[in-house]
Amino acid sequence: MTDCPSGSGAAKRPPTILDIINAKNVRKLVMLTAYDAPGARIAEAGGADLILVGDSAAMTVLGRPDTNSISMDEMLHHARAVTAAARSALVVGDMPFLSYESGPDDALRNAGRFFREAGIRALKLEGGRQIVPQIKALVGAGIPVMGHLGLTPQRAAMLGGFKAQARTAEGAQKLLEDALALEDAGCFAMVLECVPAPVAAAVSARLRIPTIGIGAGPDCDGQVLVFHDLLGLSDFRPRFAKAYADLGRVASEAVAEYAREVREGAFPAPEHCFSIRPEEWQAWQTRLEADSRANGKE
Ligand code: KIV
């Protein structure tokens, strides 16, 4: 790993898939979601190794109650904006609900759209052993795949809602077997969402590929947070997410000050205005006066 991003944000090229795999047991991977160009720039300036164009866009930026309504076209729209700005992070596209579940053909077709129409070079799919054929088809076609186990929001209805998974011996064993199956199928990394920390640690220790946790404790090989949760821009922040800034409050205060200055006539100030040369102003005044004299005569 010579010039793989070191967390300083100074990297000149995105990490390769091999860089990501080789980071396991060497350094923690940092992933952040982003849905547009400014988000990608902020994520990279902060030193993120990976940017996930998550289907969480449905909730964070489109204001919907869950992630399942976001379409391929909407995901491509966000992915294009992120890849237009990203320079140093590996950008991972999130395959939306029902874009791959039906089988390898649909998975390949939609993955191809992410590659050709949005410049995405790696994809994330939610699910365990049931999507191994899709993962094998994508990896076989040369498409790097990140897995996603534990709480898989696209299947929340089948999981009894948005709640922690693998909290029983049976659930933990199922998680481990799914994780090993995804690794065998060729995934280069795997998100573990909302699973007990000791379970995530044990699964991580049994995999050769890195795990990236969200609500899965400190012993995953990396962490991912949703951009709006990290920056304090969410209406609702899950317990496992940490806000490192309160940009929502900062932004509302800025808007309130703008509104006050507009109402008081303090904005725009002279420095925000454009000038007109005095001779041009005078010429126009003369013309206006002439026009009004002429109109007065009519
Ligand atoms: O869509 C998303 O943001 C995700 C992360 C929570 C891992 O899948």
Side-chain angles (χ1 to χ4, degrees), residues 33 35 52 54-56 94 124 126 148 191 193 214 224 226:
T33 67
Y35 315 103
L52 173 67
D55 63 358
S56 50
D94 214 1
K124 178 170 82 58
E126 295 184 11
H148 185 156
V191 169
E193 179 166 353
I214 177 162
V224 54
V226 167

Side-chain angles (χ1 to χ4, degrees), residues 151 155-165:
L151 172 57
R155 290 160 204 262
M158 298 295 288
L159 300 174
F162 292 89
K163 55 187 201 188
Q165 302 295 306

Side-chain angles (χ1 to χ4, degrees), residues 74-279:
E74 288 171 322
M75 285 302 297
L76 292 173
H77 179 74
H78 290 288
R80 267 193 296 273
V82 170
T83 56
R87 297 286 175 270
S88 60
L90 177 67
V91 181
V92 181
D94 214 1
M95 296 213 47
F97 183 54
L98 297 187
S99 67
Y100 57 96
E101 288 86 341
S102 53
D105 289 348
D106 276 348
L108 271 170
R109 190 171 46 76
N110 286 315
R113 293 195 66 196
F114 265 112
F115 270 57
R116 281 194 290 267
E117 297 176 39
I120 286 284
R121 292 293 170 260
L123 291 168
K124 178 170 82 58
L125 277 67
E126 295 184 11
R129 278 160 284 187
Q130 73 276 32
I131 59 159
V132 159
Q134 288 89 322
I135 294 172
K136 283 187 171 165
L138 297 182
V139 173
I143 297 172
V145 175
M146 177 180 282
H148 185 156
L149 292 174
L151 172 57
T152 44
Q154 292 175 6
R155 290 160 204 262
M158 298 295 288
L159 300 174
F162 292 89
K163 55 187 201 188
Q165 302 295 306
R167 298 184 85 180
T168 60
E170 193 187 343
Q173 179 61 23
K174 178 180 178 307
L175 180 76
L176 175 61
E177 287 171 11
D178 277 335
L180 291 169
L182 295 197
E183 178 175 80
D184 282 351
C187 285
F188 71 93
M190 186 176 310
V191 169
L192 295 180
E193 179 166 353
C194 290
V195 302
V199 174
V203 170
S204 300
R206 284 167 174 76
L207 294 176
R208 296 183 307 277
I209 59 171
T211 57
I212 301 182
I214 177 162
D219 294 317
C220 292
D221 303 300
Q223 296 291 326
V224 54
L225 275 182
V226 167
F227 186 87
H228 292 65
D229 292 343
L230 184 153
L231 294 176
L233 290 165
S234 310
D235 287 344
F236 164 77
R237 188 175 67 249
R239 186 169 71 84
F240 56 78
K242 178 173 173 183
Y244 287 83
D246 192 357
L247 291 197
R249 185 181 52 76
V250 172
S252 313
E253 284 172 5
V255 173
E257 194 175 343
Y258 160 65
R260 182 182 57 73
E261 288 199 352
V262 168
R263 289 178 184 127
E264 290 174 358
F267 176 83
E271 65 270 27
H272 306 118
C273 300
F274 297 98
S275 62
I276 179 168
R277 287 206 307 279
E279 61 275 23

